[in-house]
Amino acid sequence: MNWTPDNNLFDIDGSVLEGGGQILRMALCFSVLTKTPVRIRNIRQGRKKPGLAAQHLAGVELMRDICQGRVHRAALGSTEIDFFPGHIGHGRFVGHIQTAGSVTLLLQAALPVAIFSSGPVTLDLRGGTNTDLAPQVDFLSEIFRPNLERFGASFDFDLMRRGYFPKGGGQCIVEVKPVQSLKPVDMVDMGAVTRFFGWSFVAGVLPLKIAHEMSSGAKSVLNQISGTRVDIEVYKESIDMAPEGNCSGIILGCETSNGAIIGGSALGEARKNSGKSGEEAAREIQSAVSVGACVDRHVQDMMIILMGLADGKSRIRTEPLTMHTKTAIYVTELMTKVAKFNVIEENGRNAIIECNGIGLRNVNLINNSRPY
């Protein structure tokens, strides 16, 4: 833990571990929640083009607006910023990426802050909704959200328009009601698979048969996991919902008898067999189920910040830790100073992540509430 000599800023090196935008997003989130001014340097040093891209700059500005804070040196290409958090407000906030940058990454950053806001928050997020190198927006609403609800928080989601590479132009509205604290979770027993579900889509000029091929590929793998029925909705996006661009993709879910929701997803590629894309999405579920994981590899790192903030000890069984998860643990321990994680690896096949959370209380909400 390093403090810079000027302005008493907490110094964070953005080049460590994952070395990308995740460190920036998490550092800003904890800066707001712990009221700690931060200097983040070497931003995205592990990427081919270091510094703030359009989606990262939009995220910085969104976080600044939500907490009525200040930020210095935030511009496209910046590799160092100073961020001074203020009071977490409520109301409507816009995160507008001028490219096809992912709105889901904006939501990942802003959601924990909105959960601890002083009142209802509306996030108007604009950019790419189904893009490469980020979770598809449907994955967050259908797979991550049920896992978030285990902690006692949630959000309402309304998709207004889809945005694809390279133009973007998508929009979703996310409504968040604050909570006083997050509950710890105990998710170590996956239970038995009870159902598979999902959505396979095409948009633009792409033929519907591509979505059917992705669905068939997914079913060929899911049927190997369990004899449970597989319900995958196959559809073509309307021109109103997807006015520009061509895209195809699939989002899959698996529900178990103990309430675990495990997901997998893939985007179609021009030079790739569509059935293979469906198979790849299903294998992500197969991989998690085969080791008894209660969350998949993509939700895994999203759970870390929630575990760190929760009021008590959380335990989650998952696959071996991804670099994103290791990075999330690093930033959470670094900035909370109190949250401590313990990872119990079992035969190299799965791991139990334990954390004694800091029990963050929403003083903003408590101060605004009336006694009964």
Side-chain angles (χ1 to χ4, degrees):
M1 294 181 288
N2 299 314
W3 294 89
T4 62
D6 55 326
N7 299 321
N8 211 29
L9 295 172
F10 192 85
D11 181 72
I12 297 173
D13 185 351
S15 68
V16 301
L17 294 169
E18 184 263 346
Q22 183 191 24
I23 297 177
L24 171 72
R25 289 187 293 273
M26 291 196 66
L28 291 175
C29 186
F30 279 116
S31 170
V32 175
L33 292 175
T34 64
K35 300 186 183 303
T36 304
V38 293
R39 169 166 295 163
I40 308 169
R41 54 188 175 80
N42 297 326
I43 294 172
R44 300 183 67 244
Q45 203 65 42
R47 298 295 181 260
K48 290 183 179 179
K49 287 186 66 175
L52 298 177
Q55 71 181 34
H56 309 102
L57 179 58
V60 171
E61 293 171 342
L62 177 61
M63 296 292 273
R64 175 202 64 196
D65 293 345
I66 293 175
C67 75
Q68 306 166 68
R70 294 181 294 115
V71 61
H72 295 166
R73 296 195 297 276
L76 289 175
S78 295
T79 58
E80 181 173 304
I81 64 170
D82 294 343
F83 187 85
F84 302 86
H87 175 76
I88 304 174
H90 61 274
R92 187 181 189 89
F93 303 97
V94 178
H96 191 181
I97 307 171
Q98 303 294 333
T99 67
S102 173
V103 297
T104 63
L105 297 181
L106 288 184
L107 182 57
Q108 279 188 26
L111 187 58
V113 172
I115 287 172
F116 286 92
S117 65
S118 56
V121 168
T122 299
L123 299 172
D124 182 345
L125 308 177
R126 307 177 190 184
T129 59
N130 301 75
T131 60
D132 199 12
L133 303 178
Q136 298 185 61
V137 72
D138 317 72
F139 190 91
L140 256 68
S141 64
E142 306 305 321
I143 306 300
F144 170 67
R145 179 167 53 179
N147 283 288
L148 168 66
E149 289 171 349
R150 301 284 287 266
F151 291 87
S154 189
F155 58 88
D156 292 329
F157 178 86
D158 192 5
L159 182 61
M160 312 301 292
R161 185 171 57 254
R162 291 192 183 274
Y164 306 126
F165 181 83
K167 291 187 177 181
Q171 181 184 19
C172 61
I173 305 295
V174 180
E175 304 276 356
V176 185
K177 291 183 178 179
V179 300
Q180 290 193 344
S181 62
L182 294 176
K183 301 182 297 185
V185 301
D186 193 274
M187 301 166 62
V188 295
D189 184 359
M190 184 189 77
V193 173
T194 56
R195 71 178 182 118
F196 295 111
F197 57 95
W199 301 265
S200 183
F201 71 90
V202 293
V205 301
L206 299 182
L208 187 61
K209 73 172 185 177
I210 290 177
H212 281 290
E213 289 169 355
M214 287 191 293
S215 175
S216 296
K219 288 179 179 179
S220 69
V221 174
L222 296 178
N223 286 331
Q224 298 173 23
I225 302 174
S226 168
T228 306
R229 182 177 172 180
V230 182
D231 293 315
I232 300 176
E233 179 184 352
V234 176
Y235 67 99
K236 185 180 179 73
E237 286 287 7
S238 69
I239 190 67
D240 293 334
M241 181 59 74
E244 292 188 276
N246 303 317
C247 189
S248 62
I250 187 167
I251 297 93
L252 302 172
C254 168
E255 185 173 7
T256 76
S257 57
N258 283 342
I261 301 291
I262 300 161
S265 64
L267 286 174
E269 298 179 27
R271 296 176 180 81
K272 189 175 185 179
N273 179 280
S274 301
K276 294 294 184 183
S277 295
E279 291 175 12
E280 288 178 3
R283 286 202 183 98
E284 292 182 350
I285 291 178
Q286 185 182 47
S287 176
V289 170
S290 68
V291 299
C294 295
V295 298
D296 58 76
R297 68 187 69 167
H298 301 296
V299 168
Q300 182 188 105
D301 68 276
M302 301 182 206
M303 304 292 272
I304 298 303
I305 189 169
L306 302 174
M307 297 172 73
L309 297 173
D311 189 9
K313 183 176 182 178
S314 294
R315 300 166 69 236
I316 295 177
R317 186 185 302 275
T318 183
E319 295 179 84
L321 272 58
T322 66
M323 182 57 70
H324 277 91
T325 298
K326 293 176 182 178
T327 302
I329 290 174
Y330 167 78
V331 178
T332 302
E333 290 187 337
L334 180 71
M335 293 205 63
T336 64
K337 308 181 188 66
V338 177
K340 298 298 178 185
F341 287 82
N342 180 41
V343 179
I344 305 170
E345 296 183 351
E346 300 185 342
N347 303 318
R349 299 183 69 242
N350 65 29
I352 294 177
I353 305 174
E354 299 178 336
C355 177
N356 289 305
I358 65 173
L360 184 68
R361 305 293 293 178
N362 190 348
V363 294
N364 303 313
L365 188 63
I366 293 172
N367 291 340
N368 287 342
S369 63
R370 297 179 180 178
Y372 291 101

